[in-house]
Amino acid sequence: MAKEIERKYLLKDDSWRKLAQGTVYCQGYIPTQHQVTVRVRIVGKQGYLTIKSPTVECSRLEFEYPIPLEDAQEMLRTLCEQPLIEKTRYKIEWEGLIWEIDEFEGLNKGLILAEVELNNINQQIVLPPWVGEEVSQDPRYFNSQLVTHPYSQW
């Protein structure tokens, strides 16, 4: 069983751009109940199915499995809520941690978030100079919420 401990931040500026190259992601969410999320994702030519428990503070259970690309494409087309989440993810190593920066497209264009996964909820971190306000506790910034409440409609 995997536990995800993650913190999310807005960005102060674009100085991070010179530090990484991006990978295109396409993902969608299968409707569920009780704040459990089921995500279908395509990264490059690989599909993934992920199930996440409700978030408590910055932590939740996460189970992720590779699936055939064709299955992921079919699930995104027929089972997932629309619109799909389209984004480019950049990974940057900073002070021993991998920061993931998501630059959203489509109805979420203009939103750029940085997130970092931690080993424990109290782990101390050094914020990169391009990281701004923390939004970990704000559900508007959860990818699953950006489907039904896109950034462009805030």
Side-chain angles (χ1 to χ4, degrees):
M1 172 175 14
K3 184 175 259 190
E4 176 185 60
I5 302 169
E6 179 179 85
R7 292 174 64 184
K8 290 182 182 251
Y9 299 85
L10 298 176
L11 297 173
K12 290 182 189 176
D13 59 46
D14 282 348
S15 62
W16 58 271
R17 288 189 185 277
K18 62 182 180 255
L19 303 174
Q21 291 188 337
T23 302
V24 175
Y25 283 54
C26 180
Q27 64 192 45
Y29 293 86
I30 297 173
T32 62
Q33 298 179 0
H34 310 296
Q35 298 179 329
V36 171
T37 58
V38 177
R39 178 183 70 205
V40 178
R41 173 185 274 176
I42 295 175
V43 180
K45 295 183 188 270
Q46 179 62 60
Y48 296 93
L49 182 64
T50 306
I51 302 166
K52 296 184 181 193
S53 72
T55 301
V56 178
E57 294 183 21
C58 297
S59 178
R60 61 185 165 180
L61 299 177
E62 178 183 78
F63 306 90
E64 183 168 81
Y65 307 97
I67 60 174
L69 176 62
E70 296 78 20
D71 290 358
Q73 290 169 331
E74 181 72 10
M75 288 180 196
L76 286 170
R77 194 173 75 256
T78 62
L79 301 178
C80 292
E81 294 180 288
Q82 302 294 319
L84 299 175
I85 299 292
E86 302 167 274
K87 62 186 179 181
T88 300
R89 174 165 284 175
Y90 303 85
K91 294 185 179 187
I92 300 171
E93 184 176 349
W94 184 267
E95 297 287 328
L97 296 173
I98 301 297
W99 287 80
E100 297 176 339
I101 299 174
D102 289 341
E103 183 172 21
F104 293 85
E105 296 297 331
L107 292 176
N108 292 297
K109 188 172 184 66
L111 178 60
I112 304 174
L113 293 173
E115 53 188 51
V116 63
E117 289 195 21
L118 306 175
N119 295 319
N120 68 70
I121 201 156
N122 297 315
Q123 182 176 343
Q124 296 296 310
I125 59 174
V126 176
L127 296 179
W130 30 266
V131 166
E133 175 188 356
E134 183 170 4
V135 294
S136 300
Q137 303 296 326
D138 188 338
R140 293 179 304 163
Y141 293 100
F142 296 173
N143 280 242
S144 59
Q145 292 296 311
L146 291 171
V147 172
T148 54
H149 299 95
Y151 182 68
S152 64
Q153 297 174 7
W154 292 6

